[in-house]
């Protein structure tokens, strides 16, 4: 299995190299050179497997010769052993034809653990084989950061530096990151938005000397391994609903477009998925694109669902590349002009292709709060603000022919203020986080400049070695 960049100018790499490289050297994102595809019989054979085993089988289609399936089985067993639900990703019925798949049963209470827990093991495995070390620089709007820190803390071959937008995450999210005191973990509060943080990470990667000197790697969903590790839960849900003999649809609260891209990838591999629904908050660039081909950046507005307060959805580039029939030059041209003009010029027929599969719905804060209240009153279900947006999108676009599965991406206890306002109930944090508010915080505040980030990365790396 080999991987190519969406911009066509970076070296073709193997899975392990893609894992360690993160962002392609030409600024593009890696994708499989050819998509693995399963026949109905092969999908059928995966039915009934426990989640860790299913995850190993799916991941083995992407690791190729680099990591064998037996090793992946061991790593996946370790990765998902700490989840607090025996099914790992349980599915609950909410209404007629509308279901929710809970992806928040991992240690940091968000769907990021699904990929990050296995990524920690994959990094360790590959780095031990190469007797090497990497420096992970990641951006978070709230959840990726704590999941990455939890997966990497204490690992000798990894230094992890996480940039979060100062004052723009929930307090629980911030404390989950900043209360971790480990030699290989650094938290940076950036005076800017999540998009600034993501751009700063990309700027570090674009400086090829710095990148090489620091052995940079990524844990954001720009890293293909993150997407690959998010595919198995879509497969698990679809098989449980009767795939390959039954179509299903998914509704996904969306920001950086990584989670929904994993659902799209499962479909590309032959899973019968009939509709993919994007849920957005007021930062609705993706919904505007799907509804009227308007991908124009606006200022980010803080919302009740801070993890989706994003304008530049990195993984959209992967979908665009595929919709353009893998025309890397056209993809690079459109992406470069998007970043300079703030408007993405997507050809009409490419947009039409996207609309045959994707739908979008945006909710403002009042609508999000009303949806949380509705779910609590009518289905006795506590959905966090992100999940509530996905569920609302699922309800809007469900049809009679295929079950609609909305993914719940975070535990409601991560967003207590929104939950209290909507339901009057303050959801309790699980026991391992019960004393979160009395733990000491460790972080440094920096301006949103590449120099400030690079200096902080150099210092962090020097302090770890
Ligand atoms: C709770 C939650 N929901 C939804 C999203 C959006 O997911 P994605 O960025 O993969 O689109 C995020 C952040 O990634 C998140 O943390
Ligand atoms: N919502 C994310 C933003 C980063 O997304 P990623 O999937 O690319 O890591 C967060 O919570 O940090």
């Amino acid at each position: 299995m080999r991987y190519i960049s969406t911009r066509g100018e970076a070296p073709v790499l193997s899975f392990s190299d893609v894992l360690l490289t993160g962002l392609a050297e030409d600024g593009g994102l890696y994708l499989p050179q050819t998509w693995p595809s399963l026949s109905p019989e092969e999908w059928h054979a995966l039915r009934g497997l426990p989640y860790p085993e299913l995850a190993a089988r799916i991941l083995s289609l992407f690791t190729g010769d680099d990591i064998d399936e037996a090793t992946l089985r061991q790593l996946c067993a370790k990765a998902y052993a700490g989840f607090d639900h025996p099914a790992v990703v349980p599915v609950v019925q909410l209404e007629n034809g509308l279901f929710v798949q809970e992806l928040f049963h991992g240690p940091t209470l968000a769907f990021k653990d699904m990929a990050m827990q296995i990524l920690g093991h994959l990094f360790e495995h590959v780095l031990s084989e190469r007797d090497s070390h990497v420096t992970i620089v990641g951006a978070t709007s709230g959840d990726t950061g704590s999941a990455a820190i939890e997966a990497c803390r204490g690992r000798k071959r990894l230094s992890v530096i996480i940039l979060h937008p100062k004052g723009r995450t929930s307090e629980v999210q911030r404390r989950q990151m900043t209360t971790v005191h480990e030699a290989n973990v650094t938290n940076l509060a950036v005076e800017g938005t999540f998009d600034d943080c993501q751009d700063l990470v990309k700027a570090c990667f674009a400086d090829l000397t710095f990148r090489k000197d620091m052995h940079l790697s990524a844990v954001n969903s720009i890293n293909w391994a993150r997407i690959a590790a998010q595919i198995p839960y879509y497969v698990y849900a679809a098989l449980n609903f009767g795939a390959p003999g039954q179509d299903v649809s998914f509704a996904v609260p969306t920001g950086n477009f990584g989670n929904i891209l994993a659902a799209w990838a499962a479909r590309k591999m032959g899973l019968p998925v009939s509709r993919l629904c994007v849920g957005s908050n007021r930062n609705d660039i993706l919904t505007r694109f799907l509804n009227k081909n308007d991908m124009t950046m606006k200022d980010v507005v803080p919302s009740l669902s801070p993890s989706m307060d994003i304008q530049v959805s990195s993984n959209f580039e992967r979908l665009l590349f595929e919709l353009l029939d893998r025309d890397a030059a056209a993809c690079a041209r459109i992406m470069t002009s998007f970043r300079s003009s703030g408007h993405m010029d997507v050809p009409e027929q490419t947009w039409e292709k996207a609309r045959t599969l994707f739908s979008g719905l945006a909710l403002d804060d009042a609508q999000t709060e009303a949806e949380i209240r509705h779910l609590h009153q009518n289905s006795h279900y506590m959905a966090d603000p992100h999940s509530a947006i996905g569920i609302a999108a699922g309800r809007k676009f469900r049809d009679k022919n295929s079950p609609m599965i909305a993914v719940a991406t975070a535990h409601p206890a991560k967003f207590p203020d929104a939950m209290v306002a909507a339901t009057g109930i303050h959801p309790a944090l699980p026991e391992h986080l019960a004393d979160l508010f009395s733990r000491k915080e460790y972080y440094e505040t920096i301006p949103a400049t590449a120099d400030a980030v690079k200096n902080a990365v150099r210092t962090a790396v020097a302090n770890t070695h």
Side-chain angles (χ1 to χ4, degrees), residues 109-112 141-144 173 221 226 230 252-261 286 307-308 310 313 315 384 386-387 408-411 414-415:
L109 318 182
F111 83 95
K112 308 291 178 170
S141 54
D143 290 326
T144 293
Q173 287 178 312
S221 54
R226 271 281 309 281
Q230 291 175 184
V252 185
T254 298
N256 225 1
F257 208 76
N259 204 5
I260 200 159
L261 189 92
L286 288 165
S307 302
M308 304 193 316
I310 297 178
S313 303
N315 282 286
D384 94 286
H386 307 75
S387 308
T409 49
H411 190 291
K414 292 191 102 164
F415 307 96

Side-chain angles (χ1 to χ4, degrees), residues 36-197:
S37 175
L38 278 72
S39 65
E41 294 70 35
E42 287 169 319
W43 286 120
H44 214 273
L46 298 175
R47 276 172 146 191
L49 288 179
Y51 187 78
E53 205 149 312
L54 177 73
R57 294 270 195 104
I58 299 294
L59 277 174
S60 72
L61 301 171
F62 293 100
T63 54
D65 294 337
D66 281 11
I67 309 175
D68 60 69
E69 201 180 310
T71 305
L72 282 170
R73 267 204 297 276
Q74 284 169 12
L75 300 182
C76 286
K78 281 195 233 167
Y80 299 111
F83 280 56
D84 74 1
H85 194 288
V88 183
V89 284
V91 178
V92 178
Q93 179 157 20
L94 294 175
E95 297 165 17
N96 239 348
L98 181 61
F99 301 81
V100 64
Q101 184 181 30
E102 295 179 343
L103 304 178
F104 54 70
H105 289 282
T108 70
L109 318 182
F111 83 95
K112 308 291 178 170
D113 290 324
M114 296 304 307
M116 219 63 91
Q117 282 295 308
I118 181 65
L119 244 67
H121 289 286
L122 289 173
F123 269 112
E124 181 143 304
H125 174 78
V126 172
L127 290 169
S128 316
E129 278 193 333
R130 298 182 181 196
D131 190 20
S132 180
H133 174 278
V134 290
T135 304
I136 287 165
V137 182
T140 189
S141 54
D143 290 326
T144 293
S146 55
I149 289 170
E150 190 57 36
C152 300
R153 62 188 294 175
R155 293 191 190 272
K156 292 197 174 49
R157 296 180 181 279
L158 295 169
S159 303
V160 54
I161 295 119
I162 297 294
L163 283 62
H164 72 265
K166 189 175 169 83
R168 287 174 181 258
T169 68
S170 81
E171 190 172 353
V172 174
Q173 287 178 312
R174 188 193 71 237
R175 287 178 165 273
Q176 281 183 287
M177 299 185 273
T178 57
T179 56
V180 175
H181 191 39
E182 295 272 1
N184 72 331
V185 172
T186 302
N187 279 289
L188 301 174
V190 175
E191 287 165 330
T193 63
F194 167 74
D195 290 309
D196 295 326
C197 296

Side-chain angles (χ1 to χ4, degrees), residues 220-279:
N220 280 108
S221 54
I222 52 176
N223 191 325
W224 167 257
R226 271 281 309 281
I227 307 292
Q230 291 175 184
I231 296 171
Y233 47 79
Y234 291 107
V235 174
Y236 183 86
L239 295 178
N240 274 292
F241 276 94
Q246 166 69 57
D247 281 19
V248 294
S249 293
F250 289 105
V252 185
T254 298
N256 225 1
F257 208 76
N259 204 5
I260 200 159
L261 189 92
W264 176 89
R267 183 177 188 271
K268 188 81 184 155
M269 293 161 67
L271 197 73
V273 176
S274 52
R275 185 132 294 274
L276 291 174
C277 311
V278 165

Side-chain angles (χ1 to χ4, degrees), residues 290-311:
L290 290 169
N291 291 343
K292 45 188 184 182
N293 198 2
D294 172 18
M295 179 87 90
T296 310
M297 278 188 229
K298 292 184 180 170
D299 286 343
V300 176
V301 189
S303 77
L304 290 180
S305 45
S307 302
M308 304 193 316
D309 292 347
I310 297 178
Q311 285 295 304

